[in-house]
Amino acid sequence: MHALICGSMAYDNIMVFPDRFKHHILPEQIHILNVAFLVPEMRREFGGCAGNIAYNLKLLGGSPLIMATVGDDAAPYLERLDQLQLPRTHVRQVPGSFTAQAFITTDLDDNQITAFHPGAMSFSHLNKVEQASSVSLGIVAPDGREGMLQHARDFAAAGTPFIFDPGQGLPMFNGDELLDFLGQADYACFNDYEAKLACERTGRSLEQLAELVQALIVTKGGQGSDIYCGGQRLEIPCVQADTIVDPTGCGDAYRAGLLYGIIAGWNMERTGRLAALMGAYKIASRGPQNHAPSRAEIAARYQREFNEALW
């Protein structure tokens, strides 16, 4: 059975400015801002929530199906999917558009200036959940607004359980819309900031929101994660990374662990532990899709961390 991953595929264009923005942006001249930054170091990474989650789920031996929209410039990404043996049956190419992409410039103080072009992501509603078969679990990850609304309705109508994972797309929805998502979903996942925002917009506490789903997961970076389920709060410890290189995509790696554990029928504690372990692998590697532990390595490390067999 497959996991249907509805979300974005994107290019991350990452540039390093070997100076400090504050030396070039004058506060008293901000009303006529016109600056250029020479960025001799640049790299392009394959990213987007759907692409990242699918990559990590494949590492675990899962069977991900990506449902996303890409543009005319998607050939390198599509070739990569083929190389990784990730089916692109439900990856729709939208003529006359660019693949979603972020342009991120970082200075020596780790300040960032980011521009994001949604491109083909804005057409994600063209994809229909019912077009995919043999799906046992889905996830609605950050994507075009209309696509996220539709995919949640489609999963609910089909009776297919799914995780609501709004991520950076959460501000697009008001309180009533968030409650509708949670009413349709079986699971929900936020980081700690998103969880606070969801509570503010809905006027409900985390415990009250957790009553709407089987499990509500809140990730807290280096402080681990909390899983609210069955009227309890499970505290999942953070797995210490070998080194901290790049947090980009850590949340997506965590969500792949959730998908794997839920499909396998594990309890939420074991599922959360695997999710935390996947985040630790990711943060030790630059870019969201460059870590590549084998299943045997993942199992051995899980045994060391939690003193129990993984599979």
Side-chain angles (χ1 to χ4, degrees):
M1 300 295 286
H2 300 292
L4 183 62
I5 303 170
C6 301
S8 62
M9 289 177 58
Y11 292 120
D12 294 331
N13 301 281
I14 302 168
M15 295 154 282
V16 177
F17 177 52
D19 200 340
R20 293 171 170 82
F21 294 143
K22 65 183 180 182
H23 294 162
H24 301 265
I25 299 176
L26 305 177
E28 66 275 11
Q29 299 295 316
I30 199 73
H31 63 291
I32 53 171
L33 186 64
N34 187 358
V35 295
F37 301 108
L38 179 65
V39 286
E41 182 182 337
M42 172 179 168
R43 71 181 192 273
R44 170 176 275 194
E45 300 284 359
F46 297 103
C49 295
N52 296 343
I53 294 171
Y55 176 82
N56 284 278
L57 187 54
K58 185 72 172 181
L59 290 178
L60 288 168
S63 183
L65 291 176
I66 299 172
M67 179 165 280
T69 44
V70 296
D72 294 326
D73 57 344
Y77 211 149
L78 298 178
E79 291 173 6
R80 175 175 173 78
L81 295 183
D82 291 341
Q83 292 168 0
L84 294 171
Q85 297 184 328
L86 286 169
R88 49 187 175 99
T89 310
H90 306 294
V91 177
R92 177 189 294 265
Q93 200 159 8
V94 180
S97 70
F98 290 104
T99 300
Q101 46 198 300
F103 299 87
I104 305 165
T105 304
T106 304
D107 74 356
L108 294 181
D109 290 330
D110 286 331
N111 296 308
Q112 289 187 332
I113 296 175
T114 300
F116 182 75
H117 175 65
M121 197 176 79
S122 300
F123 298 91
S124 61
H125 58 278
L126 297 177
N127 286 326
K128 313 295 182 185
V129 165
E130 60 264 26
Q131 295 168 344
S133 58
S134 300
V135 174
S136 59
L137 181 66
I139 183 169
V140 176
D143 208 347
R145 171 184 159 83
E146 294 307 313
M148 292 178 70
L149 288 165
Q150 178 184 293
H151 294 150
R153 290 192 298 265
D154 290 349
F155 277 125
T160 302
F162 74 95
I163 300 172
F164 173 50
D165 171 32
Q168 64 267 33
L170 190 147
M172 295 189 295
F173 306 104
N174 61 36
D176 288 339
E177 289 168 330
L178 291 173
L179 289 174
D180 284 342
F181 274 119
L182 291 167
Q184 297 172 106
D186 297 82
Y187 308 88
C189 191
F190 308 109
N191 65 26
D192 48 358
Y193 172 79
E194 294 156 4
K196 291 176 183 176
L197 183 57
C199 290
E200 289 179 5
R201 294 206 168 179
T202 61
R204 302 194 187 186
S205 67
L206 270 178
E207 289 77 11
Q208 290 173 320
L209 294 179
E211 292 175 355
L212 301 175
V213 291
Q214 292 184 37
L216 186 150
I217 301 96
V218 180
T219 61
K220 303 183 296 181
Q223 281 67 56
S225 55
D226 293 332
I227 300 179
Y228 297 80
C229 61
Q232 297 181 319
R233 178 171 66 90
L234 303 175
E235 296 183 10
I236 306 299
C238 178
V239 174
Q240 189 69 36
D242 292 337
T243 183
I244 297 178
V245 175
D246 180 7
T248 307
C250 284
D252 297 326
Y254 184 102
R255 283 146 181 79
L258 291 180
L259 287 167
Y260 188 93
I262 292 170
I263 290 174
W266 295 351
N267 62 43
M268 291 308 301
E269 184 170 22
R270 188 180 184 196
T271 297
R273 288 174 172 178
L274 175 61
L277 178 58
M278 293 305 294
Y281 273 118
K282 160 68 243 347
I283 203 169
S285 176
R286 189 173 72 169
Q289 296 182 25
N290 294 319
H291 54 296
S294 68
R295 291 185 83 239
E297 289 170 337
I298 293 170
R301 186 166 179 182
Y302 185 94
Q303 175 76 50
R304 293 197 305 271
E305 295 286 344
F306 300 110
N307 195 31
E308 67 174 12
L310 181 57
W311 42 56

